[in-house]
Amino acid sequence: MATKIKTVWYCTSCGNESAKWMGRCPACGEWNTMVEEPKAPKSSSGGGVAVASRSRAYIETADAQPRRLKEIDLSRDNRFSVGIEELDRVLGGGMVEGSMILIGGEPGIGKSTLSLQIPLCCRNLRTLYVSGEESPKQIKLRADRLGGSDEDCFILSETVLENILDRARELQPALLIVDSIQTIFSEALESSAGSVSQVRECASALLRYAKETGTPVILIGHITKDGTIAGPKVLEHIVDVVLQFEGDTKGSYRILRSIKNRFGSTDELAVFEMTGAGLREVRNPSEILVPMHQDKLSGIAIAAMVDGTRPFLIEIQALVSTAAYGTPQRSATGFDGRRLNMLLAVLEKRAGFKLAAKDVFLNIAGGLRVADPACDLAIVASILSSNFDLYVSPKTCFAAEVGLSGEIRPVSQVERRIAEAEKLGFEEIYISPFNKESSFSARGIRVTPVADIAALCRKLFQ
């Protein structure tokens, strides 16, 4: 008689284990996150899961002793540059030895291209590139297209965790890249690759290898249809750095955003352009994100936004037209649709503009997604410009938040926004009157404070 395989229920959000199905996870409180998987086998010594018992002890070493906080030495610099300045800045100044980095993004966004460009750009970096999705010939073709063939970059097409770790210990690379973590599986577990238990245990084993050898590990992760990284949520807790690739795959620009970073700030982001020769660094994104167009076009306004600590200017495009059907359409590309509805309601209630019977379409140029409240004033200006069919001067930009009462509210880091606008040759910037003027009164750009939407209309369309 065949032996019955025992199964357990795992929470995909926190990794909690349960003997039976539950509608709500008792550990994290999330609903409908329990999945059934085969129970991991016990080790011969009876010490629990064979992989987990080893991987969860990665921090325990024979000479580990408690030390006073003031006695810990920080003089040794354990960072190194990866040869890509934008990536170095997002990582906080370079890659830390023994760290684990998770890169997630949509299919075709450029995750594998970026990870392969690291050993090609950083010469003499002994790298082991493990691919569970492509053959070595496919990787070689991509490397040739990227314009380089590094002698210190080794390619391994493997999906078994134990074989990967054995080859890594033999080669002793300075960097290990795994593409992708969802394709790797351990023979000690009976579940299939990509399951909750496999992703969790494989990531834990790779983390133990990174901490024991001091080798940084880069993991490529798939994402789900709602934009989150596939697999258990505990994967993001295990790794040291989580980087998210954003952008429209139909466009050429990509944003690499830091979601979690134990060795630096999460306020930094990098901008790349996808070309035929791979990802190109965009050092000054403002000059590219403000595209050239004909003068005197209505429905266009420039927003001076800040993402993290990096200021840049983007173009807001709006189109207001008479609704052809009974229900007017509200569409936003690259911007929160609910916030667009809120701004339209403010224009209707507080400023008296009748937009309830009109279609409103909003687009952020360049295929980007923005969430900075400082874009509110530029969005309002673009909507009014399209509604009146009057253009806004291309030498004018905006940086302020719009409140529910129609007032213009101040935003943070306004000095950075004004300096960026002045550097790009803008002549005027509209801000809130509640921003302190002492820090930017001597600049060459004209700073115009506006108190409400009515004042904005008088100054723009008088």
Side-chain angles (χ1 to χ4, degrees):
M1 189 171 109
T3 304
K4 183 179 179 181
I5 299 177
K6 296 183 179 180
T7 60
V8 293
W9 293 85
Y10 290 100
C11 174
T12 57
S13 179
C14 66
N16 182 56
E17 181 179 332
S18 176
K20 61 180 181 179
W21 178 85
M22 295 182 181
R24 185 179 185 183
C25 175
C28 64
E30 295 291 334
W31 290 90
N32 300 324
T33 58
M34 306 296 289
V35 295
E36 186 179 16
E37 292 185 2
K39 185 175 178 62
K42 298 286 184 180
S43 63
S44 58
S45 59
V49 181
V51 178
S53 61
R54 297 193 304 267
S55 60
R56 290 173 183 169
Y58 68 89
I59 205 67
E60 298 177 7
T61 56
D63 58 347
Q65 297 293 334
R67 291 183 294 173
R68 297 180 185 272
L69 184 62
K70 63 180 181 180
E71 297 175 355
I72 299 177
D73 184 19
L74 295 178
S75 59
R76 179 174 176 267
D77 186 10
N78 59 350
R79 291 182 184 267
F80 64 92
S81 174
V82 297
I84 304 176
E85 294 183 7
E86 291 288 295
L87 182 57
D88 283 339
R89 190 168 48 78
V90 172
L91 294 175
M95 192 173 294
V96 178
E97 297 178 0
S99 63
M100 179 174 281
I101 302 170
L102 176 63
I103 302 178
E106 296 180 358
I109 201 71
K111 305 183 297 296
S112 300
T113 301
L114 177 64
S115 59
L116 186 57
Q117 280 188 225
I118 294 176
L120 297 180
C121 294
C122 188
R123 300 294 181 180
N124 302 323
L125 179 64
R126 195 178 183 87
T127 305
L128 176 59
Y129 189 101
V130 180
S131 177
E133 301 176 346
E134 297 177 301
S135 65
K137 291 183 178 180
Q138 290 175 305
I139 300 175
K140 172 62 175 176
L141 290 175
R142 180 187 291 120
D144 292 340
R145 179 172 57 85
L146 297 178
S149 180
D150 193 357
E151 296 181 356
D152 290 329
C153 182
F154 297 84
I155 307 300
L156 175 64
S157 182
E158 183 61 79
T159 57
V160 181
L161 173 66
E162 288 76 11
N163 296 340
I164 294 173
L165 294 178
D166 290 341
R167 300 296 178 270
R169 291 189 176 96
E170 293 175 2
L171 188 62
Q172 296 182 355
L175 174 63
L176 174 62
I177 301 174
V178 178
D179 184 10
S180 66
I181 186 61
Q182 280 81 11
T183 62
I184 307 301
F185 69 94
S186 172
E187 294 179 336
L189 303 177
E190 297 179 357
S191 56
S192 60
S195 61
V196 175
S197 56
Q198 286 284 5
V199 172
R200 182 184 61 204
E201 300 304 334
C202 291
S204 299
L206 291 171
L207 180 63
R208 182 192 178 197
Y209 167 79
K211 301 302 180 182
E212 287 179 347
T213 62
T215 304
V217 177
I218 296 179
L219 303 180
I220 307 298
H222 299 163
I223 66 170
T224 60
K225 60 182 179 180
D226 58 351
T228 60
I229 297 178
K233 195 69 175 178
V234 70
L235 176 62
E236 299 182 34
H237 294 282
I238 290 176
V239 300
D240 299 311
V241 181
V242 179
L243 302 179
Q244 184 82 16
F245 244 133
E246 300 176 359
D248 188 359
T249 55
K250 298 179 182 179
S252 59
Y253 298 111
R254 307 286 190 268
I255 287 183
L256 184 64
R257 194 184 305 275
S258 175
I259 300 177
K260 171 187 175 182
N261 192 351
R262 289 175 177 164
F263 311 111
S265 173
T266 58
D267 293 334
E268 296 293 343
L269 80 159
V271 181
F272 295 93
E273 182 184 7
M274 179 62 75
T275 65
L279 290 169
R280 183 185 68 85
E281 299 177 72
V282 179
R283 305 295 175 83
N284 188 4
S286 297
E287 296 180 357
I288 297 179
L289 297 178
V290 181
M292 298 297 178
H293 55 75
Q294 296 179 357
D295 293 338
K296 299 183 179 180
L297 292 179
S298 64
I300 295 178
I302 307 299
M305 64 169 291
V306 172
D307 201 318
T309 60
R310 188 171 192 174
F312 55 92
L313 278 71
I314 60 173
E315 184 180 89
I316 309 291
Q317 300 174 347
L319 175 62
V320 180
S321 63
T322 304
Y325 304 99
T327 303
Q329 301 183 60
R330 301 285 189 264
S331 177
T333 303
F335 189 73
D336 188 2
R338 293 172 296 181
R339 191 165 187 87
L340 172 62
N341 291 331
M342 183 203 76
L343 295 176
L344 293 175
V346 172
L347 289 174
E348 182 88 18
K349 176 70 174 179
R350 302 298 182 185
F353 295 102
K354 304 302 180 182
L355 301 174
K358 295 185 178 181
D359 295 335
V360 179
F361 302 94
L362 187 71
N363 178 52
I364 307 298
L368 302 179
R369 294 194 60 86
V370 299
D372 190 357
C375 297
D376 289 354
L377 194 59
I379 291 173
V380 169
S382 64
I383 292 174
L384 295 178
S385 173
S386 179
N387 184 50
F388 297 145
D389 199 18
L390 297 174
Y391 74 97
V392 177
S393 173
K395 294 296 183 179
T396 300
C397 59
F398 306 86
E401 180 183 358
V402 178
L404 291 179
S405 299
E407 79 279 9
I408 308 302
R409 302 177 61 86
V411 292
S412 61
Q413 305 185 54
V414 67
E415 296 85 0
R416 290 175 176 265
R417 306 173 196 267
I418 297 175
E420 183 73 10
E422 182 185 7
K423 182 176 66 175
L424 294 177
F426 283 83
E427 299 175 354
E428 186 176 16
I429 181 171
Y430 286 83
I431 65 171
S432 170
F434 296 99
N435 282 113
K436 297 181 179 180
E437 300 184 7
S438 58
S439 57
F440 48 79
S441 57
R443 295 190 178 275
I445 186 174
R446 184 167 67 254
V447 179
T448 304
V450 287
D452 51 26
I453 296 176
L456 175 68
C457 292
R458 290 193 296 268
K459 291 181 178 294
L460 287 178
F461 309 112
Q462 59 184 357

